[in-house]
Amino acid sequence: PALLWLALAPLPGPAARAELRVRVRLPGGQVTEESLQADSGADCVSLELRAADGALVTLTADFRQEVKIFRALILGELERGQSQFQALCFVTRLHRNEIIPSESMAKLRQKNPRTVRQAEEVRGLEHLSMDVAVNFSKAAQLSSHIHNVCAEAREAIYTREEDVKFWLEKGVDGSMFEVLPQGSDLPELQRCRLCPDRWKPCICSYSLSIEWYPCMLKYCRSRDAAGKVSSYKCGIRSCQKGYTFDYYVPQKQLCLWDEET
């Protein structure tokens, strides 16, 4: 298969910005185009793809702040009184080695842009309980990217308590976080899919998948004339990973996709 390779020629300028478009096969067999952007100056990368149900899914990884931001723009059901689209943002801690560094992402090139790619490794589904709301107007301190990425989702930005603890230890201002009602506080709080009343609060579930992303660097070895062995970056390993987010909504109307099918 035509591999993506790392262009080893240095890019012009101290900080490189680059975009790569990759054709990716979705689980249902459809092909979508995924856009990968890297900015080594700001030390961040973002990936964007349209899911099979029409939702536009973006992942932004801010390496400097150790934050990753998932945004979903979900097409609304106009006939059921919803607006044209609904935006959600989920903000979680970025761990080391989840995704390749921004300067490596900025150097990615592909030999055959027509190739349809499938991830080499499927990483396990992660189920996250998003029990804290993030105040949009204060969130720039957590990551400057939240302001751009989550502008349409300003009333629907969620994170979780364990990640908040990590950021508070780094000195982030705690006043941007608000703990959401939990099932333990409100015994009558149901999952939205089981809730018969469209205007009642419930726990919503939203799932998304990053179908293809460069998760690791590959290294090759070379031997010089004197027989000395050295290793160099020579490619990437690609992964697919799915996420399910559970979070509180004040009314089921905000969670119409999460129904018994």
Side-chain angles (χ1 to χ4, degrees), residues 165-216:
K165 280 181 186 147
F166 169 74
W167 293 320
L168 292 179
E169 281 168 17
K170 287 185 70 178
V172 168
D173 173 19
S175 69
M176 75 176 79
F177 303 113
E178 183 197 344
V179 177
L180 291 165
Q182 309 299 310
S184 51
D185 314 331
L186 299 169
E188 70 279 10
L189 201 59
Q190 289 181 291
R191 297 220 156 240
C192 292
R193 71 172 70 98
L194 303 172
C195 179
D197 184 343
R198 222 193 260 189
W199 306 107
K200 268 186 123 160
C202 51
I203 298 293
C204 185
S205 226
Y206 185 74
S207 295
L208 59 81
S209 176
I210 305 298
E211 290 302 331
W212 190 97
Y213 67 98
C215 50
M216 285 162 74

Side-chain angles (χ1 to χ4, degrees), residues 19-219:
E19 183 179 17
L20 185 71
R21 292 189 173 274
V22 175
R23 300 178 77 217
V24 176
R25 191 170 306 284
L26 295 172
Q30 312 96 307
V31 172
T32 190
E33 190 176 64
E34 192 172 297
S35 153
L36 291 80
Q37 292 183 317
D39 182 340
S40 60
D43 201 9
C44 75
V45 302
S46 70
L47 295 85
E48 186 165 85
L49 75 152
R50 197 169 288 284
D53 62 3
L56 190 65
V57 172
T58 309
L59 165 62
T60 302
D62 178 348
F63 292 95
R64 200 168 281 164
Q65 294 296 105
E66 296 178 81
V67 168
K68 60 180 189 282
I69 307 160
F70 298 92
R71 184 194 63 189
L73 297 179
I74 303 154
L75 296 174
E77 298 186 47
L78 300 174
E79 67 282 0
R80 298 176 70 181
Q82 288 193 319
S83 54
Q84 217 161 355
F85 68 85
Q86 203 172 327
L88 299 172
C89 258
F90 302 105
V91 184
T92 64
R93 178 183 173 184
L94 176 67
H95 292 273
R96 223 170 278 277
N97 302 330
E98 277 189 76
I99 192 163
I100 68 169
S102 59
E103 70 274 11
S104 298
M105 188 84 92
K107 292 176 185 173
L108 284 181
R109 300 288 177 270
Q110 49 186 337
K111 290 176 179 167
N112 182 0
R114 303 298 303 154
T115 303
V116 178
R117 304 183 187 282
Q118 266 180 298
E120 298 162 84
E121 181 186 330
V122 176
R123 293 197 163 171
L125 174 74
E126 210 171 325
H127 202 131
L128 304 167
S129 177
M130 309 302 279
D131 43 13
V132 176
V134 181
N135 181 323
F136 175 76
S137 62
K138 298 179 180 178
Q141 196 203 121
L142 181 58
S143 168
S144 58
H145 302 285
I146 293 175
H147 209 79
N148 297 331
V149 177
C150 302
E152 297 100 336
R154 56 184 66 208
E155 298 300 320
I157 307 174
Y158 305 96
T159 186
R160 48 190 199 147
E161 229 165 327
E162 61 191 81
D163 293 330
V164 169
K165 280 181 186 147
F166 169 74
W167 293 320
L168 292 179
E169 281 168 17
K170 287 185 70 178
V172 168
D173 173 19
S175 69
M176 75 176 79
F177 303 113
E178 183 197 344
V179 177
L180 291 165
Q182 309 299 310
S184 51
D185 314 331
L186 299 169
E188 70 279 10
L189 201 59
Q190 289 181 291
R191 297 220 156 240
C192 292
R193 71 172 70 98
L194 303 172
C195 179
D197 184 343
R198 222 193 260 189
W199 306 107
K200 268 186 123 160
C202 51
I203 298 293
C204 185
S205 226
Y206 185 74
S207 295
L208 59 81
S209 176
I210 305 298
E211 290 302 331
W212 190 97
Y213 67 98
C215 50
M216 285 162 74
L217 293 172
K218 284 181 181 167
Y219 288 87

